[in-house]
Amino acid sequence: MHRFLIPRGGCRATLRLLCVLLLALPAIVCHALATPQPALMAPRASHSLLVDIARAGDRLVAVGERGHVLYSDDSGRTWTQARVPVDVMLTAVWFADARRGWAVGHDGMIVASADGGENWQLQRDGIAAQQLIDRERLEAARRAAAAAPGDADAQDALAVEEDRAGQPVYAPPLFDVWFADAANGIAVGAYGSYLYTSDGGRSWTWDAARIDNPDGLHYYAIAAGGAGRLLIVGEAGSMYRSRDGGASWEALAAGYPGTLFGALALPPGDTVCAFGLQGTVLLSRDFGDTWRRLDSPAESVLAGGTVAHGEALIVGNVGTVLGLGADSGALADRSREALRDNLAGVIEAPDGGLVLIGQGGAVRVPAGESDAAAAHGTPAPAAEGPCGGERAGSAGATGRAADRA
C-alpha cells in the first residue's frame, strides 16, 4: 500500500517511505536508462523493506524495495522471490483475480503478472514514457511560439520546455493502482500523476487533466466503495471522489490540512476512512459528503490498512496497529507489545491470521491471537519471535492490503 509528501525541488525522495518507514531511501527519479534492469534474486529478500501486499486467491503477494516481489502459498510462513524485470522500488500491488495482477513504483514503472505473481512483465517504462511526454510538450511549445512570435508568454513557455529538454528525464513515481476488473484500471502517483487502461495494461494513457489539481498535489491511495464509487487521497489533505468508476472526479473538503496516505471502504461501501500523519483517521458515513476526525490512540504516521475480522485495521510507524469498528466508529489500539517495526501494510491471510509488512519484511500474527486482542479491546500480547510475531522465512529462488476497499 503503497503513500507521502515529496519534498519539492532538489533530490526528491518518496515521503511514503521517508515518513512512514523513517529510512533513507534512493531518489525517486533517475537519468534515462537504455533499458530497465531486472531485480536481483536476493537470499534475504523476504526480510527486506516491503511496502504493499495483496491476495491473489489463496496466495499472498508482497512488493517492495529493489523491485522485490515475494509470494507465499502458506499464509505467509515462507516466501519465494518472483522474477521481475525492474529493480526500482515497487510501492503498490493489486490483483483482479487469482492470476492477473499489477504492481507500480518508482520511475513510473508498471509491471504485470498473469500467473499469480510468479513471473512479471514490463507494461510501462516510465522513463521512456516521460521522454515522449516531454518531447510532445516541446513540440507543442514550438508550434505555439511560431504562431505568436510577439507573445511573451508563448516564448517563455518555449524557453521552459527547451530547458527541460536539456535536463535528465524525471519520471514521477506511482503510489497506487486499482482495477475494477481484468481490463479497466487506474494508477496514481506524485505530482498529480494519473493513468488509466481499458485493455488490462497493454496500453496506459496519461490523463492528469482528468482531475482538477492545479498545484500538482501527490496522490497516495485509491479506495473503492462499489457501484462505481472511488476515492483518491493525498498530499495536504486532498481528496477526490468519483461516482462513475473514474470517468469524472470532484474535489472533497475534509477540513484536514495534513497529508493522507491511505483510505479504506468498509462493507457495504458507504463508510470510508482516510488516514495519514500524526495518527490521523477521518471517517465518513456517506462516502465523502461529510467527515469527522476520530479520537486516535496513536500519534505515529499511518501508512496502510485492510478490512479483516469485521473491522478496518490500520498500520503505521513503530508497530502501530489500530482497529476501527464499522458500527462503533471508534478506534482501538491493536498494537503488539514486541512489534516495533515501521509497518506499511497488513492483510488477512487465507488461514485467518494476519500478515504485516514493512521495514523488516513480513511478520505473521497467527489466527486467534489478533482475535483475542480485538475481543478485549486491548493491545495484543507478545508472541514468540523476534518482533512479536512469526518472522517469515524464505524459500525457493532466494522466496494491500487485500482490497483497500
Side-chain angles (χ1 to χ4, degrees):
M1 233 199 91
H2 24 4
R3 276 169 188 201
F4 307 45
L5 172 67
I6 298 178
R8 297 177 182 272
C11 181
R12 299 183 290 260
T14 181
L15 170 74
R16 173 175 189 168
L17 301 168
L18 180 62
C19 285
V20 174
L21 301 171
L22 299 179
L23 297 174
L25 299 172
I28 61 174
V29 293
C30 301
H31 293 271
L33 299 174
T35 57
Q37 302 300 301
L40 295 177
M41 305 302 285
R44 292 183 56 80
S46 64
H47 300 282
S48 63
L49 172 64
L50 298 176
V51 184
D52 199 17
I53 187 168
R55 285 275 294 270
D58 286 336
R59 171 175 286 175
L60 302 178
V61 181
V63 301
E65 65 177 335
R66 301 186 180 93
H68 289 167
V69 176
L70 303 162
Y71 61 91
S72 173
D73 292 319
D74 55 10
S75 294
R77 292 175 180 84
T78 60
W79 295 83
T80 300
Q81 186 179 359
R83 296 192 178 277
V84 182
V86 298
D87 63 356
V88 300
M89 174 79 71
L90 297 176
T91 56
V93 61
W94 181 276
F95 274 81
D97 52 40
R99 299 193 64 79
R100 291 169 293 186
W102 296 262
V104 301
H106 287 188
D107 291 346
M109 298 293 182
I110 303 178
V111 294
S113 175
D115 59 6
E118 293 184 29
N119 296 280
W120 295 77
Q121 295 77 43
L122 181 65
Q123 282 196 336
R124 181 181 190 263
D125 179 342
I127 295 292
Q130 190 64 44
Q131 286 177 316
L132 179 59
I133 292 171
D134 291 348
R135 190 178 305 120
E136 291 174 346
R137 286 174 175 168
L138 177 59
E139 292 304 318
R142 285 172 173 167
R143 289 192 298 271
D151 188 330
D153 289 341
Q155 300 304 318
D156 289 344
L158 175 58
V160 169
E161 294 304 327
E162 288 178 335
D163 180 69
R164 189 201 308 272
Q167 301 297 321
V169 176
Y170 295 139
L174 298 174
F175 290 137
D176 207 1
V177 60
W178 170 85
F179 271 72
D181 50 41
N184 298 285
I186 297 170
V188 298
Y191 306 103
S193 297
Y194 184 101
L195 300 101
Y196 72 89
T197 180
S198 57
D199 56 12
R202 287 188 294 275
S203 62
W204 287 89
T205 300
W206 178 271
D207 194 12
R210 182 170 298 200
I211 298 179
D212 185 14
N213 179 9
D215 295 326
L217 298 175
H218 310 317
Y219 306 136
Y220 289 120
I222 310 171
R229 295 175 298 180
L230 299 172
L231 178 71
I232 291 176
V233 300
E235 183 182 4
S238 55
M239 290 185 174
Y240 304 90
R241 179 178 61 190
S242 175
R243 299 180 184 272
D244 52 18
S248 61
W249 295 87
E250 59 180 321
L252 302 178
Y256 171 69
T259 292
L260 299 167
F261 299 140
L264 292 168
L266 285 76
D270 295 324
T271 298
V272 62
C273 68
F275 47 86
L277 291 175
Q278 298 178 323
T280 298
V281 180
L282 307 177
L283 182 68
S284 174
R285 296 291 193 182
D286 47 25
F287 208 82
D289 287 336
T290 59
W291 294 87
R292 67 183 177 94
R293 187 171 179 174
L294 303 181
D295 292 332
S296 176
E299 296 182 352
S300 58
V301 173
L302 302 175
T306 192
V307 177
H309 302 166
E311 63 179 355
L313 292 174
I314 303 169
V315 301
N317 276 8
V318 294
T320 299
V321 181
L322 302 179
L324 171 60
D327 295 330
S328 68
L331 291 170
D333 190 355
R334 302 278 185 256
S335 304
R336 304 181 64 79
E337 294 176 358
L339 178 56
R340 309 303 292 171
D341 284 358
N342 295 322
L343 301 174
V346 58
I347 198 168
E348 183 177 5
D351 68 356
L354 298 175
V355 175
L356 300 98
I357 53 116
Q359 181 179 2
V363 175
R364 274 178 38 83
V365 179
E369 292 185 14
S370 54
D371 292 338
H376 290 88
T378 58
E384 293 183 2
C387 292
E390 298 177 4
R391 182 65 69 182
S394 297
T398 292
R400 140 195 42 189
D403 300 347
R404 275 181 290 271

